[in-house]
Amino acid sequence: MIEIKEKSNCTGCHACANACPKNCISMVSDEEGFWYPQAEKAKCIDCGLCVNVCPIIHKRHPDDSCMTTAIAAINLNEEIRLRSSSGGIFTLLAENIIAQGGVVFGAAFADDFKSVRHICVNDIADLDKLRGSKYVQSKIGDTYKQAKDYLDSGRKVLFTGTPCQIGGLYSYLRTPYENLFTQDIICHGVPSPMVWEKYVVFREKQSASATQRMFFRHKKYGWKTYAVLFEFSNNTAYVKKLHEDSYMKAFLSNSCLRPSCYACSFKGIKRQADITLADFWGIQNVLPEMDDDKGTSLVLVHSYKGRYLLDKLSDKIKSQAVDIDIVEKYNPSVINSVVANSKREDFLKDIHKDAFEITVLKYTKKSFLKRLRSAIIKIARTFKHYLKE
Ligand SMILES: Cc1cc2nc3c(=O)[nH]c(=O)nc-3n(C[C@H](O)[C@H](O)[C@H](O)COP(=O)(O)OP(=O)(O)OC[C@H]3O[C@@H](n4cnc5c(N)ncnc54)[C@H](O)[C@@H]3O)c2cc1C
Ligand code: SF4
Ligand code: SF4
Ligand code: SF4
């Protein structure tokens, strides 16, 4: 029976809960808001399946029969690209699978926007629910079981998510399926669902209204300086650039990520997924002609299936091959886990006590020396700019 001794050794992927033949594993949130498996001893028959499918206990190595290649890519449909976090490649992959009678799994907001969970989509019109990054852990629920049912019935399945969610799916399935396609992301880490819920409650209190639409990566000010945007039912809106928004400050300062994200077992260029999608940070230096600040994707292709999927998109994208060595330089999250903020534990305790923005301010406020250093760097950059002119 599965038992969590070290929280950093559980990604919350739900593979154990999906596999249990007695349905005796519940995923229960701890005080930080992250769910962990809890087995009901009375119902357990000691079959050991939960331990066997855990991708952390039984690590599965990526198939290295196909060399990983990298491209920069842009969806030629500008409207979709602007509604996507980077170059809008996810939508094209998903449309292709649905057009072949398949189904797509990915992360969507709940109706009240206070949580994110994985859902299955079989209509192109519903892809909007999956489009766009949601910077909070998405609950897998029973979607691995649902995906298996579709696979067994012969339907094509595209399963998308974080690398640990894709790892969990393969471990749960245990058999290879010709009709399964997977896509993961380069993953910074996932913030606590509890922190996200508190933030939505806070925003709604400020606007005295319910959330109607929400974007983590709105491109109002461009792709590189993306903005957090809430639209409320009383026709008001909240919009802040990424470094000015308190939730994004907590996320990017690594104050509220899942413990497993600080020691991630799914890092590396080579992945279990067929395709990895990411932001092509640094594109302005690598291929300036592929940068219009509306979003460029970095696409890593790891398998023959991934190549097959990408070939189908050739007339719908603008793309250029890039050297695989460039990936780590501009996107270190591909290889390295982030380092936990030294005040993480205190932050996650205090968030229960004070108003959201007060807590974030308390924990992300720069010291006088840091502020002085930033000011000096800013002045030096301005002088450099004038000297060049
Ligand atoms: C938590 C998180 C951390 C990330 N960290 C990085 C990073 O460090 N560096 C980097 O370059 N890119 C990162 N990305 C990926 C990047 O933000 C884009 O999602 C990716 O480039 C795909 O963009 P797109 O324009 O093709 O499609 P989009 O339409 O923007 O992306 C949709 C896809 O993202 C998936 N998705 C959205 N939210 C979640 C979620 N909470 N959990 C699992 N899957 C989700 C959907 O299922 C779908 O597959 C991260 C994404 C997430 C969700
Ligand atoms: S040992 Fe078997 S029955 Fe018991 S919790 Fe694990 S999967 Fe369920
Ligand atoms: S299978 Fe997933 S949720 Fe279950 S213990 Fe392992 S990592 Fe945690
Ligand atoms: S950083 Fe690793 S453990 Fe955390 S969500 Fe991403 S893939 Fe999973």
Side-chain angles (χ1 to χ4, degrees), residues 1-2 16-17 19-25 38-41 43-53:
M1 191 175 69
I2 200 90
C16 50
C20 176
K22 289 286 165 190
N23 281 330
C24 61
I25 300 180
Q38 242 175 51
E40 218 181 301
K41 278 190 187 136
K43 276 195 192 168
C44 173
I45 52 167
D46 245 338
C47 67
L49 255 181
C50 49
V51 174
N52 288 344
V53 299

Short mmCIF file of all heavy atoms in Angstrom, two decimals, residues 1-2 16-17 19-25 38-41 43-53, ligand 2:
data_model
loop_
_atom_site.label_atom_id
_atom_site.label_comp_id
_atom_site.label_asym_id
_atom_site.label_seq_id
_atom_site.Cartn_x
_atom_site.Cartn_y
_atom_site.Cartn_z
N MET A 1 0.84 -1.20 0.00
CA MET A 1 0.00 0.00 0.00
C MET A 1 0.88 1.26 0.00
O MET A 1 1.87 1.30 0.71
CB MET A 1 -0.87 -0.03 1.25
CG MET A 1 -1.95 1.00 1.25
SD MET A 1 -3.03 0.79 2.69
CE MET A 1 -1.94 1.29 4.02
N ILE A 2 0.48 2.21 -0.81
CA ILE A 2 1.31 3.41 -0.97
C ILE A 2 1.32 4.25 0.33
O ILE A 2 0.28 4.42 0.96
CB ILE A 2 0.81 4.25 -2.18
CG1 ILE A 2 1.89 5.20 -2.67
CG2 ILE A 2 -0.48 4.99 -1.91
CD1 ILE A 2 2.77 4.65 -3.71
N CYS A 16 -1.53 6.23 -8.71
CA CYS A 16 -1.88 5.21 -7.72
C CYS A 16 -3.39 5.14 -7.51
O CYS A 16 -3.97 4.05 -7.48
CB CYS A 16 -1.15 5.48 -6.40
SG CYS A 16 -1.32 7.17 -5.80
N ALA A 17 -4.03 6.33 -7.41
CA ALA A 17 -5.47 6.36 -7.18
C ALA A 17 -6.23 5.79 -8.38
O ALA A 17 -7.24 5.10 -8.22
CB ALA A 17 -5.92 7.79 -6.90
N ALA A 19 -5.14 3.51 -10.38
CA ALA A 19 -4.85 2.08 -10.56
C ALA A 19 -5.52 1.19 -9.51
O ALA A 19 -5.74 0.00 -9.76
CB ALA A 19 -3.34 1.86 -10.51
N CYS A 20 -5.85 1.74 -8.36
CA CYS A 20 -6.35 0.89 -7.26
C CYS A 20 -7.65 0.16 -7.64
O CYS A 20 -8.66 0.81 -7.93
CB CYS A 20 -6.57 1.75 -6.00
SG CYS A 20 -7.28 0.77 -4.66
N PRO A 21 -7.64 -1.17 -7.62
CA PRO A 21 -8.84 -1.91 -8.03
C PRO A 21 -9.97 -1.81 -7.02
O PRO A 21 -11.11 -2.14 -7.33
CB PRO A 21 -8.32 -3.36 -8.14
CG PRO A 21 -7.15 -3.43 -7.24
CD PRO A 21 -6.53 -2.07 -7.23
N LYS A 22 -9.66 -1.37 -5.82
CA LYS A 22 -10.69 -1.28 -4.77
C LYS A 22 -11.15 0.16 -4.54
O LYS A 22 -11.93 0.43 -3.61
CB LYS A 22 -10.13 -1.85 -3.44
CG LYS A 22 -9.97 -3.36 -3.47
CD LYS A 22 -11.34 -3.98 -3.39
CE LYS A 22 -11.35 -5.43 -3.76
NZ LYS A 22 -12.71 -5.96 -3.90
N ASN A 23 -10.64 1.07 -5.37
CA ASN A 23 -10.97 2.50 -5.21
C ASN A 23 -10.79 2.98 -3.78
O ASN A 23 -11.61 3.74 -3.25
CB ASN A 23 -12.43 2.78 -5.61
CG ASN A 23 -12.57 2.84 -7.11
OD1 ASN A 23 -11.62 3.23 -7.80
ND2 ASN A 23 -13.70 2.42 -7.62
N CYS A 24 -9.74 2.50 -3.13
CA CYS A 24 -9.60 2.90 -1.72
C CYS A 24 -8.56 3.99 -1.51
O CYS A 24 -8.21 4.30 -0.39
CB CYS A 24 -9.37 1.68 -0.84
SG CYS A 24 -7.91 0.75 -1.17
N ILE A 25 -8.07 4.60 -2.61
CA ILE A 25 -7.11 5.71 -2.44
C ILE A 25 -7.79 7.04 -2.73
O ILE A 25 -8.34 7.25 -3.81
CB ILE A 25 -5.88 5.54 -3.36
CG1 ILE A 25 -5.17 4.22 -3.03
CG2 ILE A 25 -4.93 6.73 -3.24
CD1 ILE A 25 -3.94 3.94 -3.87
N GLN A 38 -4.08 8.88 0.11
CA GLN A 38 -4.35 8.30 1.44
C GLN A 38 -5.19 7.05 1.22
O GLN A 38 -6.29 7.13 0.66
CB GLN A 38 -5.13 9.29 2.28
CG GLN A 38 -4.37 9.71 3.53
CD GLN A 38 -5.10 10.78 4.29
OE1 GLN A 38 -6.28 10.65 4.59
NE2 GLN A 38 -4.39 11.84 4.61
N ALA A 39 -4.64 5.88 1.59
CA ALA A 39 -5.35 4.62 1.34
C ALA A 39 -6.17 4.22 2.56
O ALA A 39 -5.73 4.40 3.69
CB ALA A 39 -4.36 3.53 0.99
N GLU A 40 -7.36 3.70 2.28
CA GLU A 40 -8.24 3.24 3.36
C GLU A 40 -7.84 1.80 3.68
O GLU A 40 -8.11 0.88 2.87
CB GLU A 40 -9.68 3.28 2.84
CG GLU A 40 -10.70 3.72 3.85
CD GLU A 40 -12.08 3.71 3.23
OE1 GLU A 40 -12.28 4.41 2.22
OE2 GLU A 40 -12.93 2.97 3.72
N LYS A 41 -7.19 1.61 4.82
CA LYS A 41 -6.61 0.30 5.16
C LYS A 41 -7.66 -0.82 5.14
O LYS A 41 -7.39 -1.93 4.67
CB LYS A 41 -5.95 0.35 6.54
CG LYS A 41 -4.55 0.94 6.45
CD LYS A 41 -3.80 0.77 7.74
CE LYS A 41 -2.48 1.54 7.63
NZ LYS A 41 -2.14 2.31 8.76
N LYS A 43 -10.19 -1.35 3.37
CA LYS A 43 -10.62 -1.81 2.04
C LYS A 43 -9.47 -2.42 1.23
O LYS A 43 -9.69 -3.11 0.23
CB LYS A 43 -11.17 -0.62 1.26
CG LYS A 43 -12.63 -0.28 1.53
CD LYS A 43 -13.03 0.62 0.40
CE LYS A 43 -14.21 1.38 0.35
NZ LYS A 43 -14.19 2.36 -0.73
N CYS A 44 -8.23 -2.13 1.64
CA CYS A 44 -7.04 -2.52 0.85
C CYS A 44 -6.83 -4.04 0.84
O CYS A 44 -6.92 -4.70 1.88
CB CYS A 44 -5.82 -1.82 1.44
SG CYS A 44 -4.27 -2.36 0.71
N ILE A 45 -6.56 -4.60 -0.35
CA ILE A 45 -6.34 -6.05 -0.45
C ILE A 45 -4.85 -6.37 -0.64
O ILE A 45 -4.48 -7.48 -1.02
CB ILE A 45 -7.17 -6.68 -1.61
CG1 ILE A 45 -6.91 -5.90 -2.91
CG2 ILE A 45 -8.65 -6.72 -1.26
CD1 ILE A 45 -7.41 -6.59 -4.16
N ASP A 46 -4.01 -5.35 -0.46
CA ASP A 46 -2.56 -5.52 -0.54
C ASP A 46 -2.07 -6.05 -1.89
O ASP A 46 -1.13 -6.84 -1.94
CB ASP A 46 -2.09 -6.47 0.57
CG ASP A 46 -1.22 -5.73 1.57
OD1 ASP A 46 -0.66 -4.69 1.17
OD2 ASP A 46 -1.12 -6.17 2.73
N CYS A 47 -2.68 -5.58 -2.97
CA CYS A 47 -2.29 -6.09 -4.29
C CYS A 47 -0.99 -5.45 -4.79
O CYS A 47 -0.37 -5.96 -5.72
CB CYS A 47 -3.41 -5.85 -5.30
SG CYS A 47 -3.67 -4.09 -5.64
N GLY A 48 -0.62 -4.31 -4.21
CA GLY A 48 0.65 -3.67 -4.56
C GLY A 48 0.64 -2.85 -5.84
O GLY A 48 1.65 -2.27 -6.24
N LEU A 49 -0.54 -2.76 -6.50
CA LEU A 49 -0.61 -2.02 -7.78
C LEU A 49 -0.22 -0.55 -7.62
O LEU A 49 0.47 0.01 -8.47
CB LEU A 49 -2.03 -2.09 -8.34
CG LEU A 49 -2.27 -3.03 -9.52
CD1 LEU A 49 -3.72 -2.96 -9.95
CD2 LEU A 49 -1.35 -2.66 -10.68
N CYS A 50 -0.68 0.07 -6.51
CA CYS A 50 -0.41 1.49 -6.31
C CYS A 50 1.09 1.77 -6.27
O CYS A 50 1.58 2.76 -6.83
CB CYS A 50 -1.09 1.99 -5.03
SG CYS A 50 -0.81 0.94 -3.61
N VAL A 51 1.84 0.87 -5.65
CA VAL A 51 3.30 1.05 -5.57
C VAL A 51 3.93 0.78 -6.96
O VAL A 51 4.80 1.51 -7.41
CB VAL A 51 3.90 0.09 -4.50
CG1 VAL A 51 5.41 0.14 -4.51
CG2 VAL A 51 3.35 0.45 -3.13
N ASN A 52 3.40 -0.24 -7.66
CA ASN A 52 3.96 -0.59 -8.96
C ASN A 52 3.80 0.50 -10.01
O ASN A 52 4.62 0.62 -10.91
CB ASN A 52 3.32 -1.88 -9.50
CG ASN A 52 3.79 -3.08 -8.72
OD1 ASN A 52 4.80 -2.99 -8.00
ND2 ASN A 52 3.08 -4.19 -8.82
N VAL A 53 2.70 1.28 -9.94
CA VAL A 53 2.48 2.30 -10.98
C VAL A 53 3.05 3.66 -10.60
O VAL A 53 2.96 4.60 -11.39
CB VAL A 53 0.97 2.48 -11.31
CG1 VAL A 53 0.37 1.18 -11.82
CG2 VAL A 53 0.20 3.03 -10.12
S1 SF4 B 2 -2.38 -2.22 -2.36
FE1 SF4 B 2 -3.94 -2.48 -3.96
S2 SF4 B 2 -5.87 -2.32 -2.89
FE2 SF4 B 2 -4.34 -1.55 -1.49
S3 SF4 B 2 -4.33 0.65 -1.83
FE3 SF4 B 2 -2.78 -0.21 -3.19
S4 SF4 B 2 -3.82 -0.57 -5.11
FE4 SF4 B 2 -5.41 -0.28 -3.57
#
